[in-house]
Amino acid sequence: MNFLPAWPLSANALFFFGFLLFCGSLGGYVAHRWPWLPSITGFMLVGFIAGPNVLHLVSHEGLAESRIVVDVALGLILYRLGLSLDIKLLLRDRSLIFISLAESALTFAVVLAGMRWMGVPNLPAAVIAAIAISSSPAVLIHVAHELGAKGPVTDRAKSLVALNNVLAFLAFAALLPLLYHRAEAPLVTILLGPLYQLLGSGLLGGLMGAALHVAARRTKAAQQYQLALVVGAVAITLGAALMLKLSPLFAPLVLGIVVRSIERKHLIANIEFGPAFELFFIALFVYAGANLHVSEMLAYAPAAAVFVVGRSLAKWLGVGGTSMLLGVPRRQSATTGLMLIPMAGLAIGLVNNMVALFPKEGAIVGSIVLAAVAVLETLGPPVTARALRSSGDELDPARGYEAPEYWPPAEDAEPPPFAAGSPAPLAPSPRD
């Protein structure tokens, strides 16, 4: 009997999880030596160098095996982003909904026109435009946490990112009947398939949110168990979504929104994950760096470049222009849209769904979107950090940040001209 392992060695998910954390931490440490460079860039650079593109220390098969770790990380990040979207506040401050709808519509139109200009067929171009609406919660949350950013612009950007992801999922679901029709699927699938994904994912997230709320209330005397309750609820939601063929991205987002919206006395909505939450960011971004598709980036570089430029301008001008029309100060309007430029998690998830369900159109969509994601995830963290530093929000000097030279304060000191009796859209939440 041979007691030695078979060669070549077959690594498992646990090894890759440790690899992602260990090497990613070193990359984050190196990036941290330059205050202007977010640690996310270091995480992704380590993943890129160690991945299949350069050193091949991590293979494509190994990345696929460690996918469950990334799903858990992304689920927790989406849950945390959902906590920033309070339905009650949205109903009181409808300007946020108006800004999000205007910016999302502009993004969809600009990217659709750009893809058609590059010769992409109508339906794949529309799917790409729908995915372009989404934004990356992980980049914004991580960079804001790294800088200790607190204030109305940071809060508003988080809410807009959450709304972006909800609208992107709705737009993608609206296009599914056309894709099923193109694939000559049965009529039942064309009509009920998208509804099952949308309503099923929303119902699952809503039920788990209610269950988590009830459990937190019943056990509020023992706060040491609340973090475990949250992580357990997110894991159950992810597992159930995968078992039921629902969206493992939309369901945890809804879970967070429901918890934030139904809590009166905040038991778990404001719970701090602590330094341990950094583990999931490191794993997620090292994985993203290792998973960059350089060949696809080169093959679809012109279309991806049009996507990146058009989407970035639409996000920035859409948020900035609409906000200024509503009376938001210029500095806040100009910086909020920049925080919506990064794109990753939900976009990658929607591309995976597209490739699995419709391989022909999915190949076009995946190549262009993944190439654009690679660029946006590389440029997005520095852009987000710069926008936060210029926003006027409070930053934490203890985290290596030096206070910026603010723009003329007199302009931002003036209250925006909102209608009497309506809440100021950029006022910080009373809970904060």
Side-chain angles (χ1 to χ4, degrees):
M1 179 178 292
N2 189 358
F3 62 88
L4 294 175
W7 191 263
L9 295 174
S10 178
N12 53 36
L14 188 59
F15 172 84
F16 283 112
F17 180 60
F19 178 85
L20 295 175
L21 291 182
F22 188 84
C23 296
S25 301
L26 296 178
Y29 171 76
V30 172
H32 219 71
R33 297 172 65 89
W34 290 278
W36 53 271
L37 189 66
S39 55
I40 287 176
T41 305
F43 303 153
M44 293 189 66
L45 187 59
V46 165
F48 178 75
I49 294 173
N53 292 295
V54 183
L55 297 179
H56 297 274
L57 297 178
V58 183
S59 64
H60 288 294
E61 293 76 14
L63 290 173
E65 286 186 13
S66 59
R67 177 70 212 187
I68 185 64
V69 176
V70 177
D71 285 341
V72 173
L74 196 53
L76 285 168
I77 291 168
L78 284 166
Y79 163 77
R80 189 168 158 182
L81 180 71
L83 293 177
S84 65
L85 197 58
D86 190 333
I87 300 299
K88 299 189 295 294
L89 289 180
L90 276 183
L91 294 176
R92 291 206 302 268
D93 178 12
R94 292 188 176 86
S95 65
L96 199 62
I97 300 176
F98 182 72
I99 294 170
S100 182
L101 288 174
E103 172 268 308
S104 298
L106 181 63
T107 302
F108 182 89
V110 169
V111 174
L112 178 60
M115 293 301 102
R116 291 295 300 127
W117 181 52
M118 296 302 297
V120 178
N122 282 327
L123 195 49
V127 174
I128 292 170
I131 295 174
I133 297 173
S134 67
S135 296
S136 172
V139 171
L140 178 58
I141 291 175
H142 187 274
V143 175
H145 176 73
E146 193 170 67
L147 296 177
K150 294 179 181 177
V153 178
T154 305
D155 291 343
R156 172 147 294 215
K158 288 179 180 177
S159 297
L160 287 173
V161 168
L163 283 171
N164 269 183
N165 288 337
V166 172
L167 292 174
F169 189 84
L170 293 177
F172 182 81
L175 292 169
L176 282 177
L178 298 176
L179 290 164
Y180 279 124
H181 179 70
R182 174 73 65 85
E184 300 180 348
L187 184 60
V188 174
T189 303
I190 294 174
L191 296 177
L192 299 183
L195 284 178
Y196 176 75
Q197 275 268 320
L198 181 62
L199 298 180
S201 302
L203 183 62
L204 174 62
L207 289 176
M208 280 309 303
L212 177 58
H213 172 66
V214 171
R217 286 190 60 184
R218 296 295 177 89
T219 61
K220 60 183 179 183
Q223 295 190 357
Q224 67 269 29
Y225 300 125
Q226 291 188 345
L227 180 59
L229 280 175
V230 170
V231 176
V234 173
I236 290 173
T237 304
L238 288 171
L242 293 174
M243 284 190 293
L244 297 170
K245 294 188 175 180
L246 299 173
S247 171
L249 302 169
F250 191 58
L253 180 65
V254 174
L255 170 62
I257 294 173
V258 169
V259 168
R260 168 62 81 179
S261 300
I262 64 177
E263 278 196 340
R264 294 182 178 177
K265 295 181 180 179
H266 298 288
L267 298 173
I268 52 175
N270 289 338
I271 192 170
E272 290 291 339
F273 284 76
F277 201 59
E278 187 77 5
L279 300 179
F280 298 103
F281 282 106
I282 296 173
L284 179 65
F285 286 105
V286 176
Y287 180 89
N291 219 21
L292 291 178
H293 293 65
V294 176
S295 58
E296 292 168 350
M297 289 173 62
L298 296 176
Y300 289 89
V306 171
F307 179 104
V308 169
V309 174
R311 178 183 176 278
S312 300
L313 287 175
K315 293 281 181 192
W316 183 50
L317 295 175
V319 173
T322 312
S323 299
M324 290 182 72
L325 286 176
L326 293 171
V328 177
R330 188 180 63 182
R331 171 150 53 102
Q332 297 179 348
S333 300
T335 53
T336 305
L338 294 175
M339 300 178 201
L340 274 61
I341 288 178
M343 184 183 79
L346 186 67
I348 295 172
L350 293 178
V351 166
N352 289 339
N353 279 355
M354 186 73 189
V355 172
L357 293 173
F358 315 102
K360 183 179 177 182
E361 291 84 1
I364 302 172
V365 172
S367 298
I368 295 174
V369 172
L370 292 179
V373 165
V375 177
L376 291 169
E377 281 298 274
T378 304
L379 299 179
V383 170
T384 302
R386 182 62 190 169
L388 284 168
R389 287 174 174 134
S390 302
S391 67
D393 275 6
E394 177 188 350
L395 302 182
D396 185 0
R399 304 189 187 196
Y401 168 73
E402 295 182 0
E405 183 179 350
Y406 286 152
W407 297 4
E411 176 188 342
D412 286 355
E414 295 178 1
F418 294 106
S422 64
L426 286 184
S429 165
R431 284 184 295 276
D432 298 323

